[in-house]
Amino acid sequence: MKILVDRSVLLPALSVVGGVVERRQTSPILGNLLLTAEDGLVRMKGTDLEIEISSAAVAEIEETGAVTLPARKLIDICRSLPEDARIQIKTQNERATLTSGRSRFMLSTLPAADFPAMEVPPAQIALQMEREILHRLLEKTSFAMAQQDVRYYLNGVLLELSAERAVAVATDGHRLAKVVAALDGDGEGLGAEPKQVIVPAKTVLELKRLLGSAQEQVRIELSARTLKVELGKTLVVSKLVEGQYPDYNRVIPADLQQHATIDRDRLKGALQRTAILSNEKYKGVRVTFEVGRLGLQTQNPEKEEAEDEIEIEYEGEPISVGFNVAYVLDVLSAVDVSTVEIRFRNAESSAVWQGLGSEDEVFVIMPMRL
């Protein structure tokens, strides 16, 4: 293989696929990227056996071929070169030589034939979706995903797709985030009965990273075991989490009599101040609802305390509820509007948090004992 390629097109593509490569691998080849040169493109692919990302860059192909190169070293070399650098990559025997100007690097390779490929069954569902919609669904729910929970089906985001709408849900058992978006109904294989899949946490994070800077529409294909997302020249293929996701509608409380509205930024600032002296392990804050006033109180094992209060629209009986301050701050960061609505029943029940008027976004936080 012998190619000439501009750093300005190679590095962005390498950064896209390199994010999936783990620093510690079970097999040496998983630390490499597969590069294939043909048809005026150098195609790149990285995988950890659970998720596979591929992209491409325009290049001058002097000799076609395929090789795997160490991902981190290749990316670091390209980053270190000048922005207008032109790079030659040439392979011979078991070595690859990367040359740019007076800089020369020799890298070890592994056979392209040994690079693992994910099996992708035929798609059962296929649809086009605006990039902003998918990014919003994942961005506003992923913070509530479980992290390495033994209930493996919670370690990801539930995507529920029907002809008319897409729903994303995440929960770790202590909080829940649900976001709904309308679809145009043009998908293949979608009906009135929703199709549920659980997207693994790492795939969710990679998709958020890629969707954040992209402009193209997204094509989504779902099979029984895999998710495929096509975004311009970038293709993401991921295994799905097997298992039955809990009935999230049962977690969202209804008939909540107590109701309060509050300025999001003022609440966020007060929580950040009081959190300074909260218990570092449990991060609890006592929130007291009173007519026209919201009181916040934290304390820690060193007997240190912090108190703050802000104005609030509330007309009910005084109620004190304990919340994890980090959970509340996560919700406030996910809300776009300036006013937050809080609904709850009593000090022992879960509270529903929403941006005022944002009926398609629901956040639930369970209380904690303080």
Side-chain angles (χ1 to χ4, degrees):
M1 183 179 87
K2 184 179 180 181
I3 64 171
L4 279 169
V5 59
D6 291 333
R7 174 192 182 274
S8 59
V9 295
L10 179 63
L11 183 57
L14 286 173
S15 299
V16 164
V17 300
V20 76
V21 177
E22 298 285 357
R23 293 193 179 273
R24 296 181 179 179
Q25 303 89 23
T26 55
S27 171
I29 202 163
L30 295 179
N32 282 18
L33 297 178
L34 173 65
L35 273 66
T36 305
E38 59 184 3
D39 302 327
L41 293 173
V42 55
R43 305 180 191 276
M44 290 149 274
K45 184 183 293 184
T47 185
D48 67 355
L49 300 181
E50 299 295 321
I51 175 176
E52 175 184 284
I53 301 180
S54 56
S55 191
V58 176
E60 289 183 22
I61 312 299
E62 296 188 15
E63 292 179 15
T64 61
V67 69
T68 77
L69 298 174
R72 299 295 171 194
K73 293 173 184 176
L74 180 59
I75 293 171
D76 287 345
I77 289 170
C78 289
R79 281 181 179 152
S80 71
L81 294 171
E83 291 185 6
D84 60 350
R86 190 156 174 79
I87 301 168
Q88 182 192 78
I89 302 176
K90 180 180 179 181
T91 60
Q92 191 170 12
N93 300 325
E94 296 180 356
R95 290 284 184 270
T97 304
L98 189 152
T99 308
S100 180
R102 297 183 180 182
S103 302
R104 182 173 174 272
F105 308 87
M106 187 169 288
L107 296 171
S108 62
T109 69
L110 290 173
D114 294 345
F115 196 81
M118 290 185 63
E119 292 184 19
V120 183
Q124 300 171 344
I125 290 174
L127 69 152
Q128 294 283 127
M129 185 183 294
E130 293 295 333
R131 177 198 64 85
E132 293 85 354
I133 292 178
L134 184 57
H135 187 254
R136 172 174 165 262
L137 290 171
L138 300 179
E139 182 71 27
K140 288 178 175 285
T141 56
S142 57
F143 68 85
M145 294 186 298
Q147 302 293 329
Q148 298 181 332
D149 198 298
V150 293
R151 297 166 294 180
Y152 56 90
Y153 47 82
L154 298 183
N155 299 318
V157 169
L158 173 73
L159 272 185
E160 185 179 88
L161 301 172
S162 63
E164 304 301 328
R165 69 176 197 164
V167 182
V169 180
T171 181
D172 60 5
H174 303 286
R175 53 183 171 168
L176 177 142
K178 172 191 171 187
V179 177
V180 180
L183 298 180
D184 57 16
D186 289 340
E188 304 167 18
L190 287 174
E193 191 67 25
K195 166 75 172 177
Q196 290 190 346
V197 295
I198 305 172
V199 184
K202 182 174 179 179
T203 303
V204 170
L205 297 178
E206 287 297 319
L207 285 174
K208 281 173 53 183
R209 178 175 69 89
L210 298 174
L211 291 164
S213 59
Q215 301 296 326
E216 301 89 351
Q217 265 203 335
V218 180
R219 178 174 173 81
I220 299 173
E221 295 184 6
L222 287 170
S223 69
R225 300 188 305 276
T226 59
L227 163 73
K228 182 158 59 168
V229 178
E230 189 174 339
L231 187 64
K233 292 181 180 178
T234 300
L235 180 64
V236 179
V237 180
S238 171
K239 293 182 180 178
L240 296 169
V241 178
E242 297 182 5
Q244 183 66 39
Y245 206 80
D247 183 358
Y248 58 84
N249 289 309
R250 296 179 60 183
V251 180
I252 302 173
D255 301 323
L256 303 176
Q257 296 85 12
Q258 309 298 338
H259 176 270
T261 56
I262 188 169
D263 183 272
R264 179 198 60 187
D265 292 338
R266 288 185 181 179
L267 177 57
K268 193 172 184 178
L271 285 168
Q272 288 170 336
R273 289 190 293 272
T274 53
I276 295 170
L277 297 184
S278 65
N279 185 310
E280 291 187 7
K281 183 177 181 181
Y282 298 108
K283 288 289 183 184
V285 57
R286 185 176 300 281
V287 181
T288 302
F289 295 87
E290 297 179 354
V291 175
R293 171 187 176 275
L294 184 76
L296 304 172
Q297 181 186 34
T298 60
Q299 59 184 14
N300 58 35
E302 288 77 35
K303 306 296 183 183
E304 297 170 326
E305 294 185 3
E307 293 183 358
D308 210 329
E309 68 174 59
I310 50 179
E311 294 179 357
I312 188 174
E313 291 186 17
Y314 177 70
E315 301 295 335
E317 294 294 320
I319 294 178
S320 290
V321 188
F323 289 115
N324 183 310
V325 66
Y327 293 174
V328 179
L329 287 171
D330 282 342
V331 167
L332 296 179
S333 295
V335 171
D336 295 326
V337 297
S338 60
T339 302
V340 176
E341 184 178 29
I342 310 165
R343 290 180 286 121
F344 56 96
R345 186 175 297 114
N346 51 47
E348 288 77 38
S349 70
S350 298
V352 172
W353 300 64
Q354 289 177 288
L356 190 63
S358 303
E359 299 301 323
D360 55 352
E361 299 175 7
V362 177
F363 307 100
V364 180
I365 305 178
M366 291 181 63
M368 63 184 297
R369 294 185 181 274
L370 295 178

